[in-house]
Amino acid sequence: MKLRHKNKHQENFPVGMMMINRELRRLVSDYYTFARYADDIADNPHLKPQNKVEKLYELEEIFTGQKTYKGQKLKFVQSLKSEFEKHNLSPSLATDLLIAFRKDSLGFDYQTWGQLVDYCKYSAAPVGKFMLAIHNEHPSTYLPATSLCVALQIVNHVQDLKYDISLLKRLYLPADIMQKFHLRKEDLLQNKSSLSLNKAKEYIMEKTQGLVKEGSLLPELIHNTCLRIEVCIILSLTNIMIRKILKGDILTQEIKLSHFDWIKGIFAGIFKGLTTKTKTLPYKE
């Protein structure tokens, strides 16, 4: 098993750049680069935890203007800072991500489901809020968007359970769930899921489906047609992935979307996005 280095084309649910207004593509690209760069720091096996944290704080200081950086390597951070100022965006949409990456760097152990959800609110929800903010959507969209983003992140964690514990030495399965189903870390390193792990997986997916249900309210609150379609596609693909996880063995195989899954999810999402009636809400000033 090798360490992964994802690019934006390898994510489970990548941002559809072609559906984004041309004027916003530079901003979205810089934002993605910022997030991926920070994630790579947290995942770097050659850096000590404290070094990772220091680098992440440095990244934040450059972005917020507390520290001057004259090199070319982090030029995208300066570019992102300028774009944020131009679009009057809250810096927290970027810096909140760093809170999660610092936890990753230190190998934070999650004791409860609530702690894991809270982590996901920093590691994933800022991305959803960012997309809504740059499209000037109403703040009422943020709550269901957070639920959807948390669900997406948990789906990723369940998919990568064995990879995370083997190579990154991270466990995103909360201790209370481990105890509830009498699981040990060694059980997550086997070549086949035990009955207990399968029951834990079903339990987690049931909770995740609840979050997806909360997130399914989002499309009817979004005014931008392209963004609404993209959210509907993500909802469709998430439901497909949850069914695949429930059916498959997360320790035996790499569970991922097939080409047919993508086609099915995209067409279902487009149809849903075009037929959903949006509620009348004032745009954010």
Side-chain angles (χ1 to χ4, degrees):
M1 195 177 289
K2 296 181 179 179
L3 192 67
R4 302 170 188 166
H5 294 283
K6 288 184 179 180
N7 58 47
K8 60 187 174 183
H9 303 295
Q10 295 171 312
E11 302 288 352
N12 282 332
F13 310 104
V15 174
M17 288 293 285
M18 294 306 296
M19 298 181 73
I20 296 173
N21 186 301
R22 188 181 298 273
E23 295 179 358
L24 297 174
R25 289 179 191 174
R26 174 65 180 272
L27 169 60
V28 173
S29 179
D30 283 341
Y31 184 81
Y32 181 90
T33 302
F34 178 88
R36 178 51 55 203
Y37 184 86
D39 196 16
D40 285 343
I41 290 174
D43 288 352
N44 192 329
H46 304 297
L47 290 175
K48 293 181 179 180
Q50 193 55 43
N51 293 140
K52 294 178 181 181
V53 171
E54 290 171 359
K55 285 182 175 293
L56 290 168
Y57 271 120
E58 180 184 40
L59 197 62
E60 180 171 335
E61 290 168 356
I62 294 171
F63 174 72
T64 56
Q66 299 175 58
K67 185 173 183 177
T68 302
Y69 182 83
K70 297 181 180 179
Q72 292 297 311
K73 186 177 180 180
L74 299 181
K75 189 177 181 180
F76 67 89
V77 182
Q78 300 282 10
S79 175
L80 183 64
K81 180 178 183 296
S82 298
E83 289 288 328
F84 261 58
E85 292 171 350
K86 175 182 175 182
H87 293 277
N88 194 30
L89 298 172
S90 169
S92 66
L93 295 175
T95 57
D96 277 359
L97 292 172
L98 302 180
I99 294 174
F101 292 136
R102 286 194 285 268
K103 283 190 175 185
D104 285 341
S105 298
L106 296 172
F108 188 82
D109 289 325
Y110 301 92
Q111 298 301 308
T112 66
W113 174 260
Q115 284 185 346
L116 178 62
V117 169
D118 185 65
Y119 161 80
C120 294
K121 287 180 179 179
Y122 287 103
S123 66
V127 179
K129 292 178 182 178
F130 167 78
M131 293 301 296
L132 291 163
I134 65 176
H135 287 91
N136 203 33
E137 294 292 343
H138 196 270
S140 62
T141 58
Y142 291 177
L143 190 58
T146 294
S147 294
L148 177 56
C149 289
V150 170
L152 285 172
Q153 189 73 310
I154 291 172
V155 165
N156 285 336
H157 289 327
V158 172
Q159 281 178 270
D160 294 338
L161 196 63
K162 189 173 182 179
Y163 170 85
D164 288 336
I165 195 171
S166 298
L167 293 186
L168 301 181
K169 309 304 178 186
R170 294 182 200 146
L171 177 58
Y172 292 104
L173 203 58
D176 60 351
I177 294 180
M178 293 281 286
Q179 292 168 6
K180 180 181 178 69
F181 293 96
H182 308 290
L183 289 170
R184 303 167 302 167
K185 285 187 178 181
E186 300 80 58
D187 297 326
L188 310 180
L189 295 170
Q190 303 303 313
N191 293 323
K192 185 179 180 180
S193 294
S194 64
L195 180 60
S196 293
L197 179 55
N198 281 329
K199 287 183 177 180
K201 178 185 69 175
E202 291 170 2
Y203 178 77
I204 294 169
M205 287 298 100
E206 183 179 353
K207 283 180 168 290
T208 306
Q209 285 173 320
L211 290 166
V212 174
K213 186 176 181 180
E214 292 173 7
S216 66
L217 301 175
L218 183 57
E220 65 185 44
L221 302 176
I222 295 177
H223 287 79
N224 184 281
T225 302
C226 288
L227 184 61
R228 184 171 64 252
I229 289 172
E230 183 164 337
V231 168
C232 287
I233 290 173
I234 290 173
L235 279 164
S236 180
L237 292 173
T238 303
N239 284 319
I240 292 173
M241 180 58 76
I242 288 174
R243 290 195 293 271
K244 290 176 79 77
I245 287 174
L246 286 170
K247 185 178 179 180
D249 188 328
I250 56 176
L251 298 188
T252 302
Q253 61 192 116
E254 182 181 358
I255 300 175
K256 59 183 180 180
L257 297 169
S258 67
H259 291 301
F260 177 74
D261 292 329
W262 276 100
I263 292 170
K264 183 179 177 182
I266 288 171
F267 275 97
I270 290 174
F271 177 78
K272 180 71 174 178
L274 292 175
T275 57
T276 296
K277 293 183 178 180
T278 56
K279 294 183 177 180
T280 303
L281 292 170
Y283 277 99
K284 182 182 67 174
E285 295 294 337

mmCIF file of all heavy atoms in Angstrom, residues 12 15 24 74 96 122 152 191 229 252 254 281:
data_model
loop_
_atom_site.group_PDB
_atom_site.id
_atom_site.type_symbol
_atom_site.label_atom_id
_atom_site.label_comp_id
_atom_site.label_asym_id
_atom_site.label_seq_id
_atom_site.Cartn_x
_atom_site.Cartn_y
_atom_site.Cartn_z
ATOM 1 N N ASN A 12 -13.214 11.918 -5.041
ATOM 2 C CA ASN A 12 -14.470 11.211 -5.270
ATOM 3 C C ASN A 12 -15.513 12.119 -5.892
ATOM 4 O O ASN A 12 -16.266 11.730 -6.778
ATOM 5 C CB ASN A 12 -15.013 10.661 -3.942
ATOM 6 C CG ASN A 12 -14.288 9.404 -3.528
ATOM 7 O OD1 ASN A 12 -13.794 8.667 -4.357
ATOM 8 N ND2 ASN A 12 -14.227 9.153 -2.236
ATOM 9 N N VAL A 15 -14.732 19.202 -7.869
ATOM 10 C CA VAL A 15 -15.454 20.403 -8.281
ATOM 11 C C VAL A 15 -15.511 20.453 -9.798
ATOM 12 O O VAL A 15 -14.508 20.291 -10.474
ATOM 13 C CB VAL A 15 -14.738 21.662 -7.736
ATOM 14 C CG1 VAL A 15 -15.403 22.913 -8.273
ATOM 15 C CG2 VAL A 15 -14.744 21.668 -6.215
ATOM 16 N N LEU A 24 -14.685 33.131 -11.799
ATOM 17 C CA LEU A 24 -14.424 32.535 -10.486
ATOM 18 C C LEU A 24 -13.434 31.381 -10.540
ATOM 19 O O LEU A 24 -13.006 30.879 -9.501
ATOM 20 C CB LEU A 24 -15.743 32.030 -9.874
ATOM 21 C CG LEU A 24 -16.820 33.074 -9.582
ATOM 22 C CD1 LEU A 24 -18.103 32.379 -9.131
ATOM 23 C CD2 LEU A 24 -16.353 34.067 -8.530
ATOM 24 N N LEU A 74 4.941 29.553 -2.787
ATOM 25 C CA LEU A 74 3.632 29.801 -2.186
ATOM 26 C C LEU A 74 2.946 31.021 -2.793
ATOM 27 O O LEU A 74 2.119 31.671 -2.144
ATOM 28 C CB LEU A 74 3.785 29.979 -0.673
ATOM 29 C CG LEU A 74 4.364 28.786 0.097
ATOM 30 C CD1 LEU A 74 4.431 29.090 1.577
ATOM 31 C CD2 LEU A 74 3.534 27.530 -0.148
ATOM 32 N N ASP A 96 -10.185 27.829 8.463
ATOM 33 C CA ASP A 96 -10.842 26.741 9.204
ATOM 34 C C ASP A 96 -10.333 25.379 8.748
ATOM 35 O O ASP A 96 -10.250 24.433 9.545
ATOM 36 C CB ASP A 96 -12.362 26.806 9.025
ATOM 37 C CG ASP A 96 -13.012 27.807 9.983
ATOM 38 O OD1 ASP A 96 -12.283 28.420 10.789
ATOM 39 O OD2 ASP A 96 -14.242 27.972 9.931
ATOM 40 N N TYR A 122 -14.722 21.300 10.128
ATOM 41 C CA TYR A 122 -13.548 22.100 9.769
ATOM 42 C C TYR A 122 -12.850 21.560 8.524
ATOM 43 O O TYR A 122 -12.329 22.331 7.716
ATOM 44 C CB TYR A 122 -12.556 22.130 10.938
ATOM 45 C CG TYR A 122 -13.002 22.996 12.082
ATOM 46 C CD1 TYR A 122 -13.538 22.431 13.247
ATOM 47 C CD2 TYR A 122 -12.910 24.386 12.017
ATOM 48 C CE1 TYR A 122 -13.959 23.229 14.305
ATOM 49 C CE2 TYR A 122 -13.331 25.193 13.065
ATOM 50 C CZ TYR A 122 -13.857 24.602 14.202
ATOM 51 O OH TYR A 122 -14.284 25.394 15.235
ATOM 52 N N LEU A 152 -20.074 13.646 3.286
ATOM 53 C CA LEU A 152 -19.063 13.324 2.276
ATOM 54 C C LEU A 152 -17.744 12.929 2.927
ATOM 55 O O LEU A 152 -17.099 11.954 2.510
ATOM 56 C CB LEU A 152 -18.826 14.530 1.363
ATOM 57 C CG LEU A 152 -19.888 14.845 0.318
ATOM 58 C CD1 LEU A 152 -19.579 16.179 -0.346
ATOM 59 C CD2 LEU A 152 -19.951 13.760 -0.728
ATOM 60 N N ASN A 191 -7.488 -8.594 6.297
ATOM 61 C CA ASN A 191 -7.803 -8.645 4.867
ATOM 62 C C ASN A 191 -9.287 -8.838 4.589
ATOM 63 O O ASN A 191 -9.719 -8.846 3.436
ATOM 64 C CB ASN A 191 -7.008 -9.770 4.188
ATOM 65 C CG ASN A 191 -5.517 -9.472 4.192
ATOM 66 O OD1 ASN A 191 -5.108 -8.331 4.034
ATOM 67 N ND2 ASN A 191 -4.716 -10.505 4.401
ATOM 68 N N ILE A 229 -27.309 22.259 -9.798
ATOM 69 C CA ILE A 229 -27.111 20.993 -10.512
ATOM 70 C C ILE A 229 -25.923 20.233 -9.930
ATOM 71 O O ILE A 229 -25.986 19.021 -9.712
ATOM 72 C CB ILE A 229 -26.902 21.248 -12.017
ATOM 73 C CG1 ILE A 229 -28.216 21.699 -12.664
ATOM 74 C CG2 ILE A 229 -26.375 19.999 -12.719
ATOM 75 C CD1 ILE A 229 -28.074 22.148 -14.101
ATOM 76 N N THR A 252 -11.257 -5.427 2.117
ATOM 77 C CA THR A 252 -10.829 -6.312 1.032
ATOM 78 C C THR A 252 -10.604 -5.571 -0.268
ATOM 79 O O THR A 252 -9.674 -5.857 -1.020
ATOM 80 C CB THR A 252 -11.884 -7.418 0.793
ATOM 81 O OG1 THR A 252 -12.059 -8.143 2.007
ATOM 82 C CG2 THR A 252 -11.440 -8.367 -0.314
ATOM 83 N N GLU A 254 -10.942 -1.738 -2.758
ATOM 84 C CA GLU A 254 -11.031 -0.286 -2.812
ATOM 85 C C GLU A 254 -12.384 0.058 -3.414
ATOM 86 O O GLU A 254 -12.627 -0.151 -4.601
ATOM 87 C CB GLU A 254 -9.907 0.307 -3.676
ATOM 88 C CG GLU A 254 -9.936 1.827 -3.712
ATOM 89 C CD GLU A 254 -8.848 2.410 -4.588
ATOM 90 O OE1 GLU A 254 -8.042 1.646 -5.146
ATOM 91 O OE2 GLU A 254 -8.818 3.645 -4.727
ATOM 92 N N LEU A 281 -35.784 33.378 -1.579
ATOM 93 C CA LEU A 281 -34.968 33.910 -0.489
ATOM 94 C C LEU A 281 -34.168 35.095 -1.023
ATOM 95 O O LEU A 281 -33.741 35.089 -2.181
ATOM 96 C CB LEU A 281 -33.990 32.853 0.034
ATOM 97 C CG LEU A 281 -34.612 31.654 0.774
ATOM 98 C CD1 LEU A 281 -33.546 30.602 1.012
ATOM 99 C CD2 LEU A 281 -35.215 32.106 2.099
#
